[in-house]
């Protein structure tokens, strides 16, 4: 398996930090994604964040689902 690039790690860590900051678990994220019409399973979300392999669209869907208005890159 290929190693994560710096940007993949950054994207995954940013999303994980936002989830933690908002107090949202992976299970809750899946519920919120489903509520906005995004069909995901908890295991798939967990794998995406673990690998750091997901699209920008998925990142935006997650941020929308948890109600993030701003994102700090540093």
């Amino acid at each position: 398996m290929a190693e994560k690039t710096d940007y993949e790690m950054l994207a995954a860590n940013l999303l994980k930090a936002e989830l933690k900051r908002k107090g949202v678990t992976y299970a809750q994220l899946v519920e919120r994604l489903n509520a906005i019409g995004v069909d995901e399973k908890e295991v798939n979300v967990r794998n995406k964040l673990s690998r750091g392999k997901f699209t920008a669209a998925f990142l935006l869907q997650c941020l929308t689902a948890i109600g993030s208005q701003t994102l700090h890159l540093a």
Side-chain angles (χ1 to χ4, degrees), residues 1 14 17 28-29 35 37 55-57 61 70:
M1 181 182 290
L14 283 171
Q28 292 168 328
L29 174 60
T55 65
Q61 290 167 333
T70 59

Side-chain angles (χ1 to χ4, degrees), residues 57-71:
F58 178 76
L59 175 63
L60 294 173
Q61 290 167 333
C62 290
L63 293 173
T64 298
I66 63 174
S68 288
Q69 298 290 321
T70 59
L71 187 62

Side-chain angles (χ1 to χ4, degrees), residues 8-22:
E8 289 167 341
M9 285 192 317
L10 177 61
N13 288 338
L14 283 171
L15 183 49
K16 289 177 190 176
E18 280 299 299
L19 290 170
K20 181 114 177 144
R21 192 172 74 78
K22 294 281 190 176

Side-chain angles (χ1 to χ4, degrees), residues 26 30 40-49 51:
Y26 290 151
V30 168
E40 284 288 348
K41 304 265 187 276
E42 185 176 347
V43 67
N44 294 342
V45 169
R46 191 174 300 280
N47 286 337
K48 285 179 181 185
L49 290 172
R51 289 190 311 261

